[in-house]
Amino acid sequence: MKKIIPMGLLWLGLLLAVPSLMAAEISVKDGDSIQSAVNKANTGDVILVYPGTYKESVYVDKDGITIRGVVQDGEWPVMEGEGVRNDAILYSGNDFTVEWLTITHYKGNAIMGQAGNNFVIRYNKVIDTGVYGIFPQFGKNGLIEYNVLSGIEDAAIYVGMCDNVDVRHNEVFDNVAGIEIENTRHALVENNYAHDNTAGLLVFITPGLPIKTTYDVILRNNFVVNNNTANFGAAGSIVSKVPPGIGIVVMAADDVIVEGNIVSGNKTAGIVITDLAFITDISSDPDSEPNPDRMVFLDNLMFDNGADPVADVKALMLTQFSRRGPDILANLGSAQEPDNCIINRERYTRFGVKKWSECERKDTSDILTMRIPGGAPNEVVTTENRTKLLYQGICAGCHAYNLRMIGPPTLTVQALYRNDAQGIADYIAAPHKVRTDYPAMPPQGHLSPELRREVAEYMLGVTK
Amino acid sequence: MKRLALLLCVVLAACSNDNVPDVSSEKAAADALQVLQQSSSADGKALYAACAACHGAKGEGNVALSAPSLVNQQDWYLFRQLNGFRSGLRGSHPQDGYGAQMQAIAKTLPDEAAVNAVVSYIASFSAEPAAKTLDGNIKRGADYYSNLCGACHGPAAEGNDKLQAPALAGVDDWYLLKQFDHFRDGIRGADEADRYGYQMGMMGKTLPDAETAKDVIAYIQSLAD
């Protein structure tokens, strides 16, 4: 029988919360634990976290929870990972809000979502937290605004496999990737300040993930400045292949509109539009179309880009007798085709846009948000689709089918654990270190043994 | 006629012939079997005398006899391969002529103690990366390697004993390519009982074409320098 399960119970770890009629406020003071407040909370409750240092990982697997820091006289509540904890906040419930926290020294993620809809992540300071800063994965309808993030070795803000997300007014610096919109549809990235990263804004497809497309993305009114930091991503990981000095990368994504940005001082190029070959040759996912299509490039302010491009770009530019990188670089191949368009092209130094057409659209003032009015309906979780949601919501954030992301490709896991789902289920409950050049895999002990077994079986059956 | 066959072999790039030991290698095998049949000791040095004709006096290998260098391998891997030959897990496929030859030799090692002794003796040689014989697109090879191979063989192809995946850097490039092809084609590692061989057999099917395999092996070779 197909049974419907509340979304928050995706993990099936904690007890079922009985929704109360009155939303309550639950205070957490220095020395208390945020997790025990979450355990007590019901849908609609607000957890107020007072200034203090909180050394814990918090799991939120219920709907409608708000965690709100209370900042008093400039004193913030601080979540401190001490370089040993993996995630600060991991949520799977819908209608989750987290705000006004300082999060630092976690190894994995500061705030990670696993398949929750209608999330709001704002007013947080995230400093030096390992792999990803803010990472909603597989959620619909979200808002990420007024966060400041730095020192992250992959993406500071990583919107992965989501739909209908606004990313506004954030500052991201000293990261490898500033803001990443990956395998995501309908996103507005607006009024952000991305500086001193390896690359500032990235809109792309990673092949080998359950969601195969990225389209309908607006990059508007952002400052994208001096993104020249040497790439310090984990050697061998896909992000480690991003060349330094790029303001904006649009890779394989479709229907991207770029308007009103100030893009300057990026030493390789202001914006690169390219197919997947830019980062890897492995684009063998039959369902991911590798070319960027229908890019719309409206008015932007671009100057002083390309002062000292990486070797590949320099070689390309030499064919045009220049040693400098351009403001706009449409890489060889389909990125140069006339389905892409531009206005006032003469203002920019440019490569490969000769065939681009003139845009009919001149601005995007008619589009205020990509979020869904009234919010996204809750995902219906059943005993049948739960495992798939679990895999997509958790595992696929690090394991792509045939690419190295954070974890080893699913293909290699399938070779190692053929016919041994239990082996996977046991490993993920308490992972030990296997590879010198990969980070540690975060334990999934909050999943019940049955769920671990089911998700393991699912992983062994993934085919692309 | 022989030249024509050879030419055809080159053109077709895959003919079963390249896997059948020729006269000189058959002779070396016969000599080795004789030496081993007479030795009963667990003296690694004495046992290795039977291996030297093919694998070289210092374990450097001999391409003319299709015998790889052994000095760039970890001892646990050599040990496991010798036992794989002895149990018949490796070298039993009808198209695996050289594997069959090595299987016959490994089976003549008198006992487990002898396997241990000869491996310890080989481990006393110093590692010496084999010379480069293949050309390929190293950048492309690196891309595929880091995505698909490094998860088991390690970032510098140094091997990972936790996964029983051997070091590849330093091992003869022609040999690695041939073994890769064998895994891909089910000549090695097709038996499900061969747990690690079967794993690699699955991976042998993940590169898009022969050209890419060559690129990857060329990259692995470059790691040894």
Side-chain angles (χ1 to χ4, degrees):
Chain A
M1 239 219 44
K2 182 161 143 172
K3 268 198 0 227
I4 294 188
I5 302 165
M7 182 68 185
L9 288 190
L10 186 56
W11 298 335
L12 223 71
L14 310 174
L15 286 174
L16 189 90
V18 187
S20 68
L21 296 174
M22 292 268 292
E25 286 187 348
I26 304 174
S27 293
V28 180
K29 299 264 165 68
D30 199 9
D32 300 345
S33 125
I34 304 172
Q35 182 70 61
S36 40
V38 170
N39 295 353
K40 274 184 275 177
N42 297 308
T43 294
D45 288 355
V46 177
I47 295 165
L48 296 173
V49 184
Y50 283 83
T53 305
Y54 300 88
K55 301 180 175 175
E56 57 182 317
S57 292
V58 176
Y59 299 86
V60 183
D61 61 351
K62 316 174 171 180
D63 290 346
I65 300 294
T66 294
I67 298 180
R68 178 179 303 149
V70 178
V71 179
Q72 293 174 321
D73 304 323
E75 292 293 317
W76 286 60
V78 178
M79 293 193 68
E80 171 61 70
E82 300 179 293
V84 296
R85 287 175 199 88
N86 204 65
D87 305 296
I89 294 187
L90 206 59
Y91 69 88
S92 73
N94 294 302
D95 306 301
F96 175 69
T97 296
V98 53
E99 53 193 19
W100 297 108
L101 295 178
T102 295
I103 301 177
T104 189
H105 303 141
Y106 285 79
K107 287 191 301 180
N109 312 292
I111 300 168
M112 180 178 184
Q114 300 180 330
N117 288 351
N118 305 317
F119 54 88
V120 176
I121 301 169
R122 62 185 168 198
Y123 310 123
N124 299 293
K125 291 191 295 178
V126 175
I127 305 146
D128 199 3
T129 55
V131 185
Y132 301 122
I134 292 175
F135 177 17
Q137 177 176 248
F138 212 70
K140 290 195 175 63
N141 201 53
L143 175 63
I144 301 172
E145 64 177 5
Y146 297 104
N147 301 285
V148 180
L149 304 97
S150 64
I152 289 156
E153 70 174 40
D154 197 307
I157 297 178
Y158 172 17
V159 180
M161 299 195 281
C162 290
D163 290 275
N164 304 96
V165 178
D166 290 344
V167 182
R168 317 189 305 193
H169 306 292
N170 301 284
E171 182 184 11
V172 289
F173 62 100
D174 293 347
N175 310 291
V176 174
I179 298 177
E180 260 178 35
I181 305 295
E182 182 187 301
N183 301 34
T184 286
R185 291 75 60 96
H186 317 295
L188 172 62
V189 179
E190 185 171 48
N191 298 340
N192 299 286
Y193 181 23
H195 62 97
D196 298 288
N197 306 288
T198 302
L201 310 180
L202 302 90
V203 183
F204 64 100
I205 296 178
T206 292
L209 293 180
I211 300 294
K212 309 289 185 185
T213 51
T214 294
Y215 58 82
D216 189 21
V217 177
I218 298 180
L219 306 178
R220 188 166 67 187
N221 300 343
N222 300 286
F223 291 87
V224 187
V225 182
N226 298 336
N227 291 289
N228 300 314
T229 297
N231 192 320
F232 58 98
S237 68
I238 187 150
V239 78
S240 73
K241 294 173 188 167
V242 173
I246 305 187
I248 302 174
V249 180
V250 175
M251 185 170 76
D254 297 340
D255 300 299
V256 177
I257 304 180
V258 183
E259 182 193 8
N261 302 286
I262 294 182
V263 184
S264 69
N266 305 291
K267 285 187 176 164
T268 290
I271 177 168
V272 174
I273 303 101
T274 179
D275 59 16
L276 282 175
F278 189 59
I279 302 277
T280 173
D281 272 340
I282 307 183
S283 53
S284 58
D285 188 329
D287 297 339
S288 283
E289 202 277 319
N291 299 312
D293 296 314
R294 297 176 303 279
M295 137 85 59
V296 177
F297 195 88
L298 304 177
D299 280 333
N300 291 276
L301 180 64
M302 299 182 96
F303 60 91
D304 196 21
N305 294 300
D308 184 17
V310 294
D312 284 2
V313 171
K314 194 177 273 171
L316 210 56
M317 295 309 290
L318 278 173
T319 63
Q320 289 196 347
F321 311 108
S322 170
R323 285 174 182 284
R324 286 183 62 95
D327 291 326
I328 306 175
L329 172 66
N331 201 13
L332 304 175
S334 76
Q336 304 189 346
E337 294 301 317
D339 60 316
N340 304 295
C341 76
I342 183 168
I343 60 177
N344 299 318
R345 70 186 77 193
E346 67 287 350
R347 287 186 185 145
Y348 315 103
T349 58
R350 56 200 187 273
F351 179 95
V353 307
K354 257 196 213 84
K355 287 194 272 172
W356 284 19
S357 48
E358 272 297 303
C359 301
E360 277 162 31
R361 188 191 261 284
K362 303 292 180 228
D363 65 65
T364 58
S365 55
D366 53 317
I367 301 170
L368 299 179
T369 176
M370 288 287 187
R371 287 189 293 154
I372 306 168
N378 286 359
E379 216 65 57
V380 180
V381 186
T382 65
T383 37
E384 273 152 26
N385 70 3
R386 179 172 63 184
T387 316
K388 182 171 168 199
L389 268 174
L390 264 177
Y391 183 79
Q392 298 184 333
I394 304 179
C395 320
C398 297
H399 296 283
Y401 181 62
N402 59 358
L403 282 186
R404 170 177 179 172
M405 285 213 306
I406 304 302
T410 304
L411 207 64
T412 64
V413 170
Q414 291 173 344
L416 288 171
Y417 287 91
R418 198 181 54 96
N419 294 341
D420 187 16
Q422 194 55 47
I424 296 183
D426 295 343
Y427 177 80
I428 65 177
H432 55 265
K433 193 102 176 87
V434 179
R435 297 164 184 79
T436 53
D437 58 330
Y438 282 72
M441 152 132 182
Q444 307 293 315
H446 55 289
L447 300 176
S448 70
E450 298 74 42
L451 278 183
R452 275 188 269 123
R453 169 87 199 202
E454 281 175 31
V455 80
E457 269 158 15
Y458 187 89
M459 187 175 206
L460 289 178
V462 170
T463 57
K464 60 193 177 189
Chain B
M1 188 60 207
K2 201 170 170 197
R3 285 190 72 159
L4 180 68
L6 226 127
L7 194 71
L8 270 179
C9 276
V10 174
V11 173
L12 298 175
C15 50
S16 50
N17 259 14
D18 72 344
N19 240 353
V20 179
D22 64 9
V23 183
S24 52
S25 108
E26 289 293 20
K27 173 155 189 323
D31 292 350
L33 289 177
Q34 219 171 18
V35 173
L36 285 173
Q37 267 148 12
Q38 283 155 12
S39 69
S40 56
S41 73
D43 175 354
K45 187 173 177 187
L47 287 164
Y48 190 79
C51 323
C54 296
H55 290 290
K58 295 203 149 49
E60 71 276 18
N62 184 341
V63 60
L65 300 176
S66 292
S69 64
L70 300 175
V71 288
N72 305 297
Q73 296 284 17
Q74 291 113 326
D75 52 1
W76 54 262
Y77 177 70
L78 296 175
F79 181 77
R80 197 159 60 66
Q81 292 309 303
L82 284 172
N83 282 329
F85 283 123
R86 284 162 68 80
S87 70
L89 277 183
R90 184 171 170 189
S92 295
H93 191 283
Q95 273 162 277
D96 193 0
Y98 285 103
Q101 186 183 55
M102 187 54 225
Q103 186 189 98
I105 293 165
K107 280 182 164 157
T108 322
L109 285 167
D111 48 26
E112 189 95 334
V115 176
N116 268 320
V118 75
V119 168
S120 308
Y121 182 68
I122 295 168
S124 73
F125 296 144
S126 51
E128 175 76 39
K132 164 175 179 252
T133 71
L134 294 175
D135 285 312
N137 181 336
I138 288 183
K139 185 160 175 254
R140 200 172 127 82
D143 184 17
Y144 278 90
Y145 182 86
S146 70
N147 278 299
L148 288 173
C149 316
C152 293
H153 290 289
E158 76 281 23
N160 184 339
D161 58 348
K162 288 200 188 80
L163 299 172
Q164 289 291 304
L168 302 173
V171 180
D172 316 63
D173 52 7
W174 53 267
Y175 176 72
L176 294 177
L177 186 60
K178 179 167 153 184
Q179 294 304 311
F180 183 84
D181 291 350
H182 282 187
F183 282 116
R184 181 195 59 208
D185 299 339
I187 295 172
R188 180 175 168 192
D191 185 346
E192 295 200 36
D194 181 4
R195 177 169 173 202
Y196 298 109
Y198 199 87
Q199 272 175 17
M200 185 53 218
M202 287 173 76
M203 295 311 301
K205 293 167 187 68
T206 62
L207 294 181
D209 47 40
E211 198 56 36
T212 312
K214 209 163 98 184
D215 295 343
V216 171
I217 302 296
Y219 170 69
I220 292 170
Q221 203 286 326
S222 77
L223 291 173
D225 296 341

